Amino acid sequence: MPPDDLAAIEAAAFRILSEVGIRVGDDEPRARLAKAGFRVAGDRVHVEPATAKAFVAETRGTASGPEVAGTPGPFTLQVAQYPPFLHDSATDVIAPFTMATLAEAVKLLDVLADRGVCTSPCGQPSDVPPAVQAVGAYWTAATYSRQGRSPVDSKTEAAIPFVMEMAEVLGEPVRHLPVYMFSPLSLEGESFRIVLKYKDRLASVSVGGMPAPGQSAPIRLGDAFAMATAEAVGGAILVRELTKLPVHWYVNLFPADLKAMAMSFGSPENFLFHLYFAEVYAHQHGTRWGQAAYNLHSNAKLPGAQACAERASLMTAGALLGARYFEGGGTLSLDEVHSPEQLLYDLEILDHVRRLTAAPSFEVDAARCIGEVQEALRDGGFAALESTRERHRDLYWHPMLFDRDFLSGWRARGEPTIRAQARALLAELRPRHDFHLPDAEQKAIDAIWARAKASV
């Protein structure tokens, strides 16, 4: 992005904060901000350019400017914790999650952890009250997964005290919470109220939103980034004043399909927007570029062609730019449906991309090479050599589902489909689950979960 445009985005954001302001819907925090010296008109709180400039300058620090991302780490695939629905590959039916089906899905995630899956709850159970669904999801993840200790997004004021208590028991105390801005330029809602209520238990807060050009932000990208910057910077300034906590802020843009009036994840624009806001973030914070293009969410409703094509495109391009962490594995219809079948396809794509980006060795030993050539000529080929047996997996990736055979070989095996193989693999993997939470922790979170259900 041209440096002049990045500077113009920032300047426009400061004007927006001064001339339009941030809507603060609740009377009490708005009154506190007025008392602190902010200009208030109606329900809008205005931030003067000098205040915004000083805040951004403080955030920017001393870094010189954007740079390419650093050394990548291992390939990992994160599932989403939000889907209310589960896709059953045996019946091709999408049905609401229950506590029982969520438990089975989490067990599978635990089994797949050694393949790079970052386990967490992969859904929200519908057979418990909505206000405490997040607590039920957290209890399920902790009970059935080795990686289930990390706190979940509580989503509701009713759930947060139980999530916090459970997190303390599991050794992962909640010390940071997000505030989600409502686009355009609005600071209100449960995430905001939760942070104000529990600020004394927190070490930091983050502020950001999900504006979509043409839907909840201007259609021109520069203007959209200016509004999104005003939203994040203004929200961060006001939240810091109200909480007296360190506040991290970030600017996002997300694509929308203006026919469906839905966010269009999995699209080319989704990938490009990630690259754009990584550069905007680097400019505004004076940091290196982050490893962008990690979001694999798709609007496909069922596992198959659309989801796989979008994931393969996004993951390959992202990995070639340095990304190694990807989120949205097994998640369909944005984040409405969890599909264990699609998760297997996503892992297959992840392995494909991992091999695509692997650095080969070209070291050569002439004597060794001559010896192997002579042995192959004597014995009829290289496939039977001990060196091939020992090292072929270092060179070649062997997929668990994708077919590499000739037509005759496929027919000899009964013409299996990828979907049939995926169903068979799911049936094979599920019985492998063997994790149990230590008794003392299990009893403690059982008691918290019981109180959460009784409280609603």
Side-chain angles (χ1 to χ4, degrees), residues 51 67 102 125 234 294 373:
T51 302
E67 299 178 53
L102 180 59
Y294 55 82
V373 170

Side-chain angles (χ1 to χ4, degrees), residues 17-196:
L17 283 174
S18 175
E19 297 175 26
V20 181
I22 301 290
R23 181 180 184 273
V24 179
D26 296 333
D27 294 339
E28 193 273 336
R30 192 169 62 247
R32 287 172 55 194
L33 292 167
K35 188 175 180 181
F38 288 91
R39 178 165 53 91
V40 176
D43 62 359
R44 307 200 77 84
V45 178
H46 298 261
V47 179
E48 300 308 326
T51 302
K53 287 179 183 178
F55 177 81
V56 172
E58 177 187 335
T59 303
R60 183 168 284 140
T62 59
S64 59
E67 299 178 53
V68 177
T71 304
F75 280 86
T76 55
L77 189 63
Q78 177 71 54
V79 300
Q81 61 180 281
Y82 301 109
F85 298 100
L86 172 69
H87 169 253
D88 183 343
S89 62
T91 62
D92 247 0
V93 170
I94 295 173
F97 261 119
T98 65
M99 287 292 289
T101 58
L102 180 59
E104 292 305 308
V106 168
K107 289 178 184 178
L108 178 65
L109 298 181
D110 182 69
V111 171
L112 292 171
D114 62 353
R115 296 290 305 276
V117 176
C118 301
T119 55
S120 72
C122 52
Q124 301 291 315
S126 65
D127 54 345
V128 298
V132 293
Q133 283 178 353
V135 188
Y138 191 16
W139 177 89
T140 303
T143 297
Y144 297 110
S145 169
R146 291 167 179 81
Q147 299 183 61
R149 293 175 178 269
S150 298
V152 300
D153 187 347
S154 61
K155 300 200 303 181
T156 67
E157 293 180 74
I160 185 62
F162 300 106
V163 169
M164 284 183 141
E165 187 178 356
M166 204 173 283
E168 293 281 350
V169 168
L170 296 168
E172 297 276 354
V174 176
R175 297 291 183 261
H176 176 92
L177 285 173
V179 172
Y180 301 117
M181 299 291 293
F182 287 89
S183 299
L185 301 162
S186 184
L187 177 62
E188 56 188 331
E190 284 196 279
S191 68
F192 179 47
R193 292 195 295 271
I194 286 170
V195 162
L196 295 184

Side-chain angles (χ1 to χ4, degrees), residues 32 194-203 242-243 245:
R32 287 172 55 194
I194 286 170
V195 162
L196 295 184
K197 185 174 181 178
Y198 292 96
K199 59 184 174 60
D200 293 339
R201 297 178 60 174
L202 302 177
L242 291 166
T243 64
L245 291 170

Side-chain angles (χ1 to χ4, degrees), residues 266-290:
S267 62
E269 294 81 12
N270 189 41
F271 178 85
L272 293 170
F273 285 10
H274 270 74
L275 300 186
Y276 301 156
F277 66 62
E279 187 167 358
V280 170
Y281 181 95
H283 169 77
Q284 292 171 342
H285 290 75
T287 63
R288 298 165 66 88
W289 285 4

Side-chain angles (χ1 to χ4, degrees), residues 333-391:
S333 191
L334 187 53
D335 57 8
E336 292 184 303
V337 180
H338 175 75
S339 169
E341 180 183 337
Q342 184 61 49
L343 181 61
L344 293 186
Y345 303 150
D346 293 344
L347 283 172
E348 195 84 322
I349 296 167
L350 187 75
D351 284 348
H352 182 110
V353 172
R354 182 189 285 116
R355 181 63 193 89
L356 186 71
T357 58
S361 169
F362 295 100
E363 59 90 17
V364 63
D365 181 309
R368 179 188 61 206
C369 179
I370 291 169
E372 290 194 354
V373 170
Q374 291 174 335
E375 186 180 354
L377 290 171
R378 182 181 66 247
D379 296 339
F382 291 91
L385 296 189
E386 182 64 17
S387 60
T388 301
R389 186 191 69 80
E390 289 179 351
R391 302 182 64 87

